[in-house]
Amino acid sequence: MLYREDDIQNMDQRYRANFINSLSGFKSANLLGTKSTSGQENLAIISSVFHVGANPPLLGMIMRPHTVPRDSLKNIKDTGIYTLSAVGSEFTEAAHQTSARYTDSEFTAVGLTPTYSATHSAPYVAEARLRIGLEVKHIEKIELNQTELVIGQVVEVYVDNSVVSVDGYIDLEHLQTACISGLDTYHKSSRIHRYGYAKPHEALAKID
Amino acid sequence: MLYREDDIQNMDQRYRANFINSLSGFKSANLLGTKSTSGQENLAIISSVFHVGANPPLLGMIMRPHTVPRDSLKNIKDTGIYTLSAVGSEFTEAAHQTSARYTDSEFTAVGLTPTYSATHSAPYVAEARLRIGLEVKHIEKIELNQTELVIGQVVEVYVDNSVVSVDGYIDLEHLQTACISGLDTYHKSSRIHRYGYAKPHEALAKID
């Protein structure tokens, strides 16, 4: 079926939110960790993290001003730092529960454990097997819909080096990292193939 | 193991590309379809598509100026339109092969079939079970690394309405949509759970 512009405009707001949030495909599942200037820890599920570049190492994310991560955004602006902890497939329920409107720490409320590195003062999720520390480099408002684009530079990464391949690839599947579809559906992955560098008129190598 | 800023800076370029591209988590797998003003069709695998907002329906993507999709970017700037076709798990090899540096149409080279709707003049992939037509709304250079952020508005969506739930959620897993980790690894998904709206002090509902 072909949905046209009018069909989309005429969708009920909640229906459209589910429909449009499904379109981009599977999304990464991360917990965004921040701390307020008064020391309050904050944790929020976020599915909009994306790769911006490897050198310098940059990650972007989209923050909607009227949803729960608004405390996170304030903390990021105030402190200049944040963390991303990859959601493991065994704690998707706790991760999703962080989207409730808590007034105190989401860590305590959902039963996840804050942890810190010696060199970064925003909280990580101890249960996460991949943890990324970032410093804010750029924040701008997307005028089309008043969301905010946040770009941060990776300043530290915690991961067991046994899952890092000789060429730097991190085996997220071995880490049992979850992914998200739509607004609220969590998935595990199973590998199809890892492919080699593609060249014209040559069959693609499988490097599993 | 904790990788610090120095460790990341000292990584070999290719190693760092694999490592940093793995950090954000699983990514969507889409084929970006464009057509030049002279009528040449172009198709490029892209893993950086992300949700920007549902109303208006907006998707973003990051284009690296020195990689293959530069033809795509020129076509998008020239024509103002493009398409995204979700990569199915049975054609990941053809999809990845589009990243080779072809001088003629990637459709022909990799064996995927261009198809058009009556109302959008950029090509879709006929084999894809979810196809999205977009109009460019915003292009800007990210000064931190000279990549370009492209934001487009969804103007049409082709998908079988049997996979669209009563609340608008599109079952990507039923469509057998693939996802990507790192630069070159493709995965299928298996659902853990779909969760209800989270509220403080209430157990999360499972709405599978």
Side-chain angles (χ1 to χ4, degrees):
Chain A
M1 172 172 171
L2 189 66
Y3 296 83
R4 297 179 193 276
E5 206 163 358
D6 276 2
D7 299 322
I8 295 169
Q9 269 174 356
N10 292 334
M11 287 174 179
D12 160 80
Q13 184 189 334
R14 187 78 195 155
Y15 188 99
R16 184 173 48 229
N18 282 314
F19 187 86
I20 300 297
N21 269 279
S22 302
L23 293 182
S24 57
F26 290 101
K27 312 178 221 198
S28 55
N30 287 290
L31 284 161
L32 169 60
T34 58
K35 196 186 239 185
S36 72
T37 49
S38 66
Q40 167 90 45
E41 293 167 340
N42 188 286
L43 190 66
I45 182 76
I46 185 160
S47 65
S48 69
V49 173
F50 55 93
H51 176 82
V52 174
N55 188 20
L58 300 172
L59 297 177
M61 56 189 180
I62 299 288
M63 313 281 286
R64 294 176 205 37
H66 303 302
T67 59
V68 169
R70 70 198 180 291
D71 293 334
S72 308
L73 184 57
K74 181 173 191 319
N75 293 346
I76 289 171
K77 288 178 175 174
D78 288 349
T79 64
I81 61 167
Y82 58 106
T83 70
L84 294 169
S85 295
V87 174
S89 55
E90 81 285 7
F91 61 89
T92 57
E93 187 166 340
H96 194 69
Q97 185 65 32
T98 63
S99 61
R101 293 181 178 271
Y102 292 107
T103 50
D104 49 0
S105 166
E106 289 84 6
F107 282 100
T108 315
V110 308
L112 292 170
T113 315
T115 187
Y116 289 84
S117 82
T119 40
H120 199 70
S121 57
Y124 294 99
V125 174
E127 287 81 359
R129 294 172 289 273
L130 172 62
R131 308 175 205 147
I132 308 162
L134 299 108
E135 286 177 7
V136 181
K137 290 294 168 187
H138 180 72
I139 299 184
E140 80 173 79
K141 189 167 280 185
I142 304 285
E143 294 301 336
L144 292 164
N145 68 348
Q146 308 301 307
T147 55
E148 301 208 49
L149 167 67
V150 176
I151 299 178
Q153 181 162 341
V154 175
V155 294
E156 60 184 37
V157 174
Y158 170 86
V159 68
D160 190 312
N161 59 8
S162 70
V163 300
V164 182
S165 306
V166 289
D167 65 2
Y169 171 78
I170 302 171
D171 191 339
L172 299 178
E173 188 159 308
H174 193 87
L175 290 177
Q176 298 193 48
T177 301
C179 60
I180 296 179
S181 65
L183 286 163
D184 47 24
T185 309
Y186 291 73
H187 308 257
K188 290 186 278 198
S189 70
S190 65
R191 187 189 282 205
I192 301 168
H193 286 298
R194 186 174 184 197
Y195 296 117
Y197 191 80
K199 294 175 187 170
H201 317 298
E202 278 186 29
L204 206 51
K206 298 188 175 87
I207 52 174
D208 298 312
Chain B
M1 171 171 172
L2 188 66
Y3 296 83
R4 296 180 194 275
E5 207 164 356
D6 277 2
D7 300 321
I8 295 169
Q9 270 173 356
N10 293 334
M11 288 174 179
D12 160 81
Q13 184 189 334
R14 185 80 195 154
Y15 188 99
R16 183 173 49 229
N18 281 314
F19 186 86
I20 300 297
N21 269 277
S22 302
L23 293 181
S24 57
F26 290 101
K27 311 178 221 198
S28 56
N30 286 291
L31 284 161
L32 169 60
T34 58
K35 195 187 239 186
S36 73
T37 50
S38 66
Q40 167 88 46
E41 292 167 340
N42 188 285
L43 190 67
I45 182 75
I46 185 160
S47 64
S48 68
V49 174
F50 55 94
H51 177 82
V52 174
N55 188 20
L58 300 172
L59 297 177
M61 57 188 180
I62 299 289
M63 313 282 287
R64 295 176 203 41
H66 303 301
T67 58
V68 169
R70 69 198 179 291
D71 294 335
S72 307
L73 184 57
K74 182 173 190 318
N75 293 345
I76 289 171
K77 288 178 175 173
D78 288 349
T79 64
I81 60 166
Y82 57 106
T83 70
L84 294 169
S85 296
V87 175
S89 56
E90 81 286 8
F91 62 90
T92 58
E93 188 166 338
H96 194 69
Q97 185 65 32
T98 62
S99 61
R101 294 183 177 269
Y102 292 107
T103 50
D104 48 0
S105 166
E106 290 83 7
F107 281 101
T108 315
V110 308
L112 292 171
T113 314
T115 187
Y116 289 84
S117 81
T119 40
H120 200 68
S121 57
Y124 293 100
V125 174
E127 288 81 357
R129 293 172 289 272
L130 172 61
R131 308 174 205 149
I132 309 161
L134 298 108
E135 286 177 5
V136 181
K137 290 294 169 187
H138 181 71
I139 299 184
E140 79 173 79
K141 189 167 281 184
I142 304 286
E143 294 300 338
L144 292 164
N145 69 349
Q146 307 301 306
T147 55
E148 302 207 48
L149 167 66
V150 176
I151 299 179
Q153 182 162 339
V154 176
V155 294
E156 61 183 36
V157 175
Y158 170 86
V159 67
D160 190 313
N161 57 10
S162 71
V163 299
V164 182
S165 306
V166 290
D167 65 2
Y169 171 76
I170 302 172
D171 191 338
L172 298 178
E173 188 160 308
H174 193 86
L175 290 178
Q176 298 192 48
T177 301
C179 62
I180 296 178
S181 66
L183 287 163
D184 47 25
T185 308
Y186 291 73
H187 308 258
K188 289 187 278 197
S189 70
S190 65
R191 187 188 284 205
I192 301 168
H193 286 298
R194 186 175 183 196
Y195 296 117
Y197 191 80
K199 295 175 188 169
H201 317 299
E202 279 187 28
L204 206 50
K206 298 189 175 84
I207 53 173
D208 299 313

